[in-house]
Amino acid sequence: MISQADFITNDGVRIHYYDTKTTQPPILAIPGIGGSAALWQKAIELFSSDYRFIIIDPRNQGRSARTFKGQRISRHAADLNQLIEKLDLIDIIGIGNSMGAANLWAYISLYGEKRLKAIVDLDQPPKMIKDKTWQYGYQDLTWNNYPSYLKADFGTGMATHVDDAMFALAKKEAQSFPYHPEENLLCRINHAEQDWRDVLIELKKPMLVLAGKKSPFFDYHFAEATAKLNPLIKAKVIPNCGHLIQAEQPNLMYKEIINFLHN
């Protein structure tokens, strides 16, 4: 059973989160931009026998408040920090899908790693813009077409079938709490211009990168390229999977994360 609650950030924005409220080791999950907790239902079922599972709806997403304020990754990291301190979480396993992974890296950059035990990145390279130093960015995004390229609607990123009941729940949630990408464009732009390689090079906690082999957003080879940044980073490619690994292949995701945490 998962409960729901809100907290108010120090800039006055209401943030919604979900929490199984057990005494087990905590997993803190962060959806990608535009996402919500609805597509994490299978993940909750899989992990909840051994872990406390917490999901945050980032500002402007899910059941959290819509606001013009804080459309930047550093603010998202501050929201994470407030939730972590509110719940007094330690030894956190942070799992971020897409921009959710960037939120974790921003959190580490600003607040350090002391409350974290491990990090899991679901289909997010540390750099979104392709240039001479990095070839695995977001589709065809370069400095030549940034930021106008980011105004296009590229869809959900899914490449395979998602459980019918979970998909129906996500659709109902999206209708009840619609996401407006045009009103959150500054966040996408700020997300895209970041380069987190300096954070990952200095990382002291283990990290697993899972890439969807059929992701329409990223070349899955980014996972191995990311792993080369630090010996504490491991990489795996999830077959028959697009960008939303937690929804498209929750069982394979669970298997890889458990193997990573126990080895």
Side-chain angles (χ1 to χ4, degrees), residues 53-242:
F53 208 98
I54 303 154
I55 311 175
I56 187 171
D57 275 344
R59 57 178 60 205
N60 286 322
Q61 297 176 213
R63 298 190 178 197
S64 289
R66 301 313 189 246
T67 177
F68 68 94
K69 295 190 289 185
Q71 293 188 47
R72 62 188 67 88
I73 301 301
S74 59
R75 182 63 249 187
H76 281 244
D79 296 346
L80 275 185
N81 183 60
Q82 280 197 244
L83 178 59
I84 288 168
E85 290 190 343
K86 172 183 171 61
L87 301 179
D88 194 23
L89 302 177
I90 58 171
D91 293 331
I92 302 162
I93 300 160
I95 305 179
N97 173 229
S98 192
M99 193 180 79
N103 291 354
L104 284 168
W105 300 331
Y107 171 83
I108 291 168
S109 175
L110 293 170
Y111 303 101
E113 304 175 44
K114 64 181 179 179
R115 287 183 177 263
L116 293 168
K117 181 178 181 180
I119 306 105
V120 180
D121 163 14
L122 303 180
D123 210 52
Q124 175 63 52
K127 181 171 164 55
M128 295 271 283
I129 299 177
K130 295 179 184 178
D131 58 24
K132 292 179 180 179
T133 72
W134 186 258
Q135 297 302 308
Y136 303 107
Y138 177 68
Q139 292 193 336
D140 296 318
L141 179 64
T142 68
W143 287 114
N144 291 328
N145 57 23
Y146 167 88
S148 58
Y149 189 83
L150 297 167
K151 295 179 181 179
D153 180 5
F154 294 104
T156 65
M158 285 189 267
T160 57
H161 179 74
V162 171
D163 175 81
D164 290 336
M166 189 164 60
F167 186 82
L169 175 62
K171 186 175 181 179
K172 182 179 178 181
E173 282 283 298
Q175 290 171 343
S176 300
F177 306 95
Y179 173 70
H180 304 290
E182 69 281 358
E183 295 178 8
N184 203 38
L185 178 61
L186 293 177
C187 186
R188 182 187 287 190
I189 290 171
N190 183 259
H191 167 43
E193 69 186 15
Q194 305 303 315
D195 183 348
W196 299 108
R197 288 177 293 179
D198 63 316
V199 174
L200 300 188
I201 287 169
E202 297 292 326
L203 201 62
K204 301 298 188 297
K205 298 292 176 71
M207 186 173 91
L208 174 65
V209 182
L210 297 180
K213 192 165 187 179
K214 294 183 177 180
S215 175
F217 295 159
F218 303 112
D219 179 340
Y220 66 89
H221 292 96
F222 86 83
E224 284 296 338
T226 303
K228 291 178 180 178
L229 296 173
N230 188 320
L232 289 174
I233 301 175
K234 307 303 179 186
K236 292 284 185 177
V237 176
I238 304 297
N240 193 32
C241 188

